[in-house]
Amino acid sequence: MRRALLGLFVLALVSSALVGTHGVAYWDAGDYVVLALRGGTSGLLLGRPAFLLVSRGLVRLLHAVGGADAAVEPLLRWSWSVVSATAAPLLAVLGARLGLSRAAALAAGAALATSPTFAHTSHQVLTDGPALAASIGALVAATSGRVVLAGALFGLAVATRETAVVHGLAVLLLVRTRRGNGSAMAAALVAVTVVAALVLDAHGGSPRAVVGWFSAMRRSSSAHGLSLRDVAISCGWVLAMAPLAVVAGGARLRTARGELAWVVVPAAVATALLLFYPDGSFSPRYVLSTAPLALLLPAGAWLAEHRRAFVIVAALGLASVPFTTESARAIAARGAGLGPRLAALPPTLTLVPGHFCPHAKLALATLPPRDVRLVCPG
């Protein structure tokens, strides 16, 4: 089993390296790199404190060995790719702990490792993959009755990406069942989770920032109404995660029982709600925090029985990504060349970079201080 789990980790890491864009392909990725370089908090709810705390530690380590600012983005991208790749073997371990056969558990892990959408997102400086890995790790620890570890990992997951809170009920139920003394164990888990989240939040957001985030979301929702096209794009993105697994898992959701149901049902409800998130169509990767647990675990048995079809579809999906992500690679390549162009411009100017706003921010963060006013979209 250990060799198989190592194989899943390597498969996930290779997939992300082959599928992912080598450069800034997502708007948030550029912002996270700038925040890691120059400090400050993310404006996204709790401020993603755990993610930024670790990222800044990596930046300080790079600077300590004489690394240049230009190397920060690749360092963070590859480091978080490695962390995200652990989600695939952890999912297989979780499946086995929840009663799946060895073959079914490994098939669920392989579906995540070869998922084009997961691979593309994982090879960026983004919170989605690391938060998913920490969430699954918390569930695995809970199945072992390790209260402190489960609480710490769950707090880490929430402080990395807030949607991880969806898995809190499953963590509580698993710990309560595995340790017997339910009330005491649940109380201990909640305490560890709260302490972990508060400690990490000290490096991140503030109550005022949280209130501001909800206010901004209300304004965004009223300005950009939800359309059927938005929902269709989000649904298509979920399907692209692993077509056979998504269909098979969705068909078998209602058959989930016991501990498996504790994990997949809350994740499935959250996935369904996230499909109607107003800004989801702009970047449907929001569902990565819940969809793998909701759909890939129930699909494991079917995938193991139909492994030839699964392998063929997974291979075709990965092979198609270079064509479907050509635009993202072109944007990343063009954005990477902004540094020398900005250095040649006057030190005081107003710049309207359009879609290349995160690239412009990153380029300015690596240049000597300049009086540049960026006018970004949104």
Side-chain angles (χ1 to χ4, degrees), residues 32-344:
Y32 286 133
V33 177
V34 173
L35 289 171
L37 263 170
R38 296 291 177 252
T41 61
S42 169
L44 299 172
L45 199 50
L46 295 179
R48 311 290 159 84
F51 185 79
L52 290 176
L53 187 63
V54 175
S55 295
R56 286 171 187 148
L58 291 170
V59 172
R60 285 194 292 270
L61 181 62
L62 175 69
H63 287 163
V65 297
D69 286 349
V72 167
E73 191 276 332
L75 170 68
L76 295 180
R77 173 161 39 85
W78 282 103
S79 297
W80 289 118
S81 293
V82 171
V83 174
S84 299
T86 64
L90 283 172
L91 187 66
V93 172
L94 179 62
R97 297 273 181 88
L98 296 177
L100 297 185
S101 68
R102 180 179 184 276
L106 290 174
L112 182 60
T114 57
S115 166
T117 53
F118 177 69
H120 194 266
T121 304
S122 295
H123 198 61
Q124 287 287 291
V125 187
L126 294 173
T127 60
D128 308 82
L132 178 63
S135 297
I136 301 174
L139 290 165
V140 170
T143 61
S144 303
R146 298 178 179 176
V147 180
V148 174
L149 181 59
L153 286 173
F154 182 60
L156 177 66
V158 173
T160 299
R161 191 172 184 86
E162 300 81 6
T163 39
V165 74
V166 168
H167 307 302
L169 178 60
V171 174
L172 277 171
L173 291 173
L174 288 170
V175 165
R176 189 173 184 271
T177 299
R178 298 300 175 100
R179 287 301 295 264
N181 188 0
S183 299
M185 290 303 103
L189 177 66
V190 170
V192 174
T193 300
V194 170
V195 169
L198 287 176
V199 168
L200 291 166
D201 190 53
H203 298 271
S206 64
R208 182 179 297 179
V210 173
V211 172
W213 182 84
F214 279 106
S215 175
M217 286 306 302
R218 282 194 296 270
R219 292 196 301 271
S220 177
S221 297
S222 61
H224 309 285
L226 185 69
S227 68
L228 288 176
R229 176 180 175 275
D230 296 329
V231 178
I233 290 174
S234 295
C235 289
W237 201 92
V238 172
L239 183 63
M241 181 179 70
L244 284 181
V246 168
V247 173
R252 284 158 178 75
L253 262 174
R254 66 178 184 273
T255 66
R257 296 290 184 272
E259 292 182 343
L260 181 63
W262 296 348
V263 172
V264 304
V265 171
V269 172
T271 300
L273 293 175
L274 285 171
L275 294 176
F276 295 91
Y277 181 61
D279 293 326
S281 63
F282 178 75
S283 186
R285 58 187 173 81
Y286 299 105
V287 297
L288 265 183
S289 58
T290 57
L293 286 161
L295 298 169
L296 302 188
L297 285 174
W302 189 92
L303 295 175
E305 294 172 4
H306 303 82
R307 66 184 64 184
R308 180 176 297 180
F310 166 53
V311 170
I312 292 173
V313 172
L316 289 174
L318 291 175
S320 69
V321 169
F323 305 100
T324 58
T325 60
E326 183 178 357
S327 175
R329 294 197 310 276
I331 290 173
R334 184 177 174 188
L338 279 181
R341 295 167 64 187
L342 289 176

Side-chain angles (χ1 to χ4, degrees), residues 19-41:
V19 170
T21 298
H22 301 297
V24 177
Y26 289 83
W27 189 285
D28 292 354
D31 284 343
Y32 286 133
V33 177
V34 173
L35 289 171
L37 263 170
R38 296 291 177 252
T41 61

